[in-house]
Structures are given as C-alpha cells and as structure tokens.
Amino acid sequence: MSVATETALGLTESKGLRARIVKIVVYTGLFVVFAGPLLALLVSSFNHVSDPTQLSVVPKSPTLDNFRIAFDQGVLKYLLNSFFVVGFGLLLQVAVSVLAGYALARKVFPLMTLVMVAILATMMLPEEILALPLTLVLADLPLVHLNLMGTLAGMIVPLGAWAFSILVMTEFMKDVPRELEEAARIDGAGEFRIFAQIILPLCKPALGVIGVFGFTMIWDQYLLPLLVATNSDAYTLPLALRTLRIDPLVTPGVVMAASLLALLPSVLVFLFFQRSFARGLTAGALKG
C-alpha cells in the first residue's frame, strides 16, 4: 500500500513499493548518463585501450603505462605550464575584480554607466571575434611595446579582467552596509584600510565564487593558448590534449590518462572551496 506525503513544494510524494522501484530506475539512469563517462575515463586511464569505441567501466588489465607514456610525451611540462598560467592568471583576475568591484560599488565617478556597459559588452562577444585584435595587441603591447606572443605571460595578461568576476564583486559589495564604512571614517580609517579590513573580509563568499569559476575558466582555456603559443614549450594541457589525440602513435589509453590529469585539478579546487562556494551562492540568492 502506497502512502502519499506532501513535499515542501506542496506536491504529493508516494512512498509505496512501486514508487521506490521507479525512483531506483530513474536514479540509476541518471547515474549512468552523468557518471558513466567519468567512470569510463577513470577506468580507461589504467587500462590498455587500443580502440576508442571499446571503453569499459570494468578494469581488465590495470596498468600505469598510460601515465608513463603520457609523461614521456611531455604532459608533465604542459601540466606545469597550466598551473603557472592559472596561478598567476587567477591572482591577477581576483585583484582586478575586487578593485574594480569596489570602485563600481562604493564610488561615483563620471561615465560610470558607460563603464558598466563596456564590461557587460565583453560578455556578449564570442572569443572568436576577439581573436584577431587580441593577437595584434599581444604582438605589440601598447605603451610598453612588448611582444608577448609565444610566452606564458601572453596567456596571463588577457585573463586579468573578466566581466563575470567584476560583476559578482560589484553586486556583493553594494550590499555591504555603508554605515560600517562611515563609522570607520569617523574613527580615522583611510580608504585602503576601509577596503582591506572592512569591505574585503565581508566578501569572502563572493571571493570563493569567483575563485572557483575563475580557476575553471582559466584552466579550460583553449583558444587563448592556441593563439599565443608559437611552439610546444608554451603549450598548456588542454592544448596538448589535441596534439596527443591526433598523434597516430599515441593510444586512446594515453589520451585518457592525460585527460584525467586535466580533469582532477578542477574537481579538487571545487571540493576544496565547496563550502565557500555554497555560501557565496546562498548569500547571493538571499540578497537577490
């Protein structure tokens, strides 16, 4: 006999045997669809795979040869390049985002609306449209006239300003009570002290959000390294995966091992910042 209960949304939920069977079937189907490819990637990384259509989720002949061959192909160097780019790129991006967000949220200056429109416009343009002007700028950096093509710095500089992170910090800082800022000014605090000791500590949830999203965005960059890298020494891991995939001497198992190495950092970063990320999303939802 099935028993119906009311959910938080006012819907009825049946708890009988038939309902449990349906739930098990649905959850199993969702697990196969979403977790199946990831499990196949994990297992295939440790198997001898010669045919990409024969991937399996059951370990057959576990081996570390795929990782050894991947390292022999220079994957470790490409992995270090990716960590270098994402490390300095994320630091630059967070610094620009918090400073720009503070200026847009707490200050009033001429052409402020135009600046916001320009920031929003960068989110509406696809990367392919920006490829040519970006290449011209990096080949002759304005004012300093430096050529950043073929260098890791050329991949870091364009990542410094990301509209998403700036908008997140701006909206979060707007909700910080101005009474705190006014009280600090009465106590003699300067502009930098108010920013560093009052505004910024209250924005830790937002920092977790832009940190996770920023890391993922930079780590998954493909077009930018493709434009900047002029030789294999400047390849990042996503770009190197393409090289491995089209190499006829590299087996699919080696590609799977390199893909697993490319996937793990994003997963670990999300797990490490999961609590801060969740607080940031919850705080944004409550304030919205």
Side-chain angles (χ1 to χ4, degrees):
M1 179 177 179
S2 62
V3 179
T5 60
E6 188 173 333
T7 65
L9 297 177
L11 304 176
T12 57
E13 179 185 9
S14 182
K15 292 188 176 181
L17 178 61
R18 183 181 301 176
R20 292 180 181 178
I21 295 176
V22 172
K23 286 182 181 180
I24 293 174
V25 172
V26 172
Y27 292 159
T28 302
L30 291 175
F31 177 82
V32 171
V33 171
F34 291 101
L38 296 178
L39 185 60
L41 171 65
L42 177 62
V43 173
S44 300
S45 299
F46 296 93
N47 278 344
H48 288 292
V49 181
S50 57
D51 187 353
T53 64
Q54 300 297 324
L55 300 182
S56 173
V57 294
V58 179
K60 297 179 180 178
S61 53
T63 179
L64 295 177
D65 289 345
N66 292 331
F67 291 93
R68 179 182 57 79
I69 297 174
F71 290 148
D72 292 339
Q73 294 290 328
V75 167
L76 182 59
K77 178 182 66 176
Y78 305 139
L79 184 64
L80 293 177
N81 286 346
S82 292
F83 278 121
F84 184 88
V85 172
V86 77
F88 285 96
L90 187 59
L91 286 176
L92 180 61
Q93 188 177 104
V94 170
V96 171
S97 298
V98 297
L99 293 174
Y102 179 72
L104 293 170
R106 317 299 291 189
K107 305 298 176 183
V108 178
F109 53 88
L111 303 178
M112 181 176 177
T113 304
L114 183 61
V115 172
M116 288 295 297
V117 171
I119 293 174
L120 288 172
T122 62
M123 301 180 65
M124 303 174 188
L125 295 175
E127 292 183 341
E128 292 77 9
I129 294 179
L130 301 175
L132 181 57
L134 181 61
T135 303
L136 296 176
V137 170
L138 292 177
D140 186 13
L141 205 62
L143 299 179
V144 293
H145 299 292
L146 291 177
N147 183 7
L148 299 182
M149 298 297 293
T151 66
L152 296 180
M155 304 178 196
I156 295 173
V157 172
L159 300 171
W162 189 28
F164 173 81
S165 296
I166 294 175
L167 292 177
V168 169
M169 294 306 304
T170 300
E171 294 304 316
F172 205 92
M173 288 183 177
K174 282 182 179 179
D175 292 317
V176 176
R178 291 191 176 272
E179 290 78 7
L180 297 176
E181 185 177 347
E182 295 171 357
R185 292 188 189 278
I186 294 175
D187 291 338
E191 195 72 39
F192 179 78
R193 186 176 178 184
I194 292 174
F195 168 73
Q197 297 186 3
I198 297 178
I199 304 296
L200 201 56
L202 294 175
C203 297
K204 287 182 179 179
L207 291 173
V209 172
I210 68 172
V212 172
F213 276 105
F215 182 95
T216 304
M217 185 274 288
I218 298 173
W219 185 264
D220 294 338
Q221 278 289 323
Y222 177 78
L223 182 60
L224 181 60
L226 183 63
L227 294 174
V228 176
T230 56
N231 56 72
S232 60
D233 292 336
Y235 281 4
T236 56
L237 192 52
L239 191 58
L241 288 176
R242 182 204 61 170
T243 305
L244 291 176
R245 186 174 59 84
I246 63 178
D247 190 339
L249 300 179
V250 175
T251 63
V254 176
V255 178
M256 292 296 173
S259 300
L260 180 62
L261 293 176
L263 175 66
L264 283 178
S266 296
V267 175
L268 294 177
V269 166
F270 177 78
L271 293 177
F272 185 77
F273 290 101
Q274 181 180 6
R275 185 173 300 177
S276 179
F277 179 76
R279 284 204 307 266
L281 293 180
T282 305
L286 293 176
K287 292 179 181 181

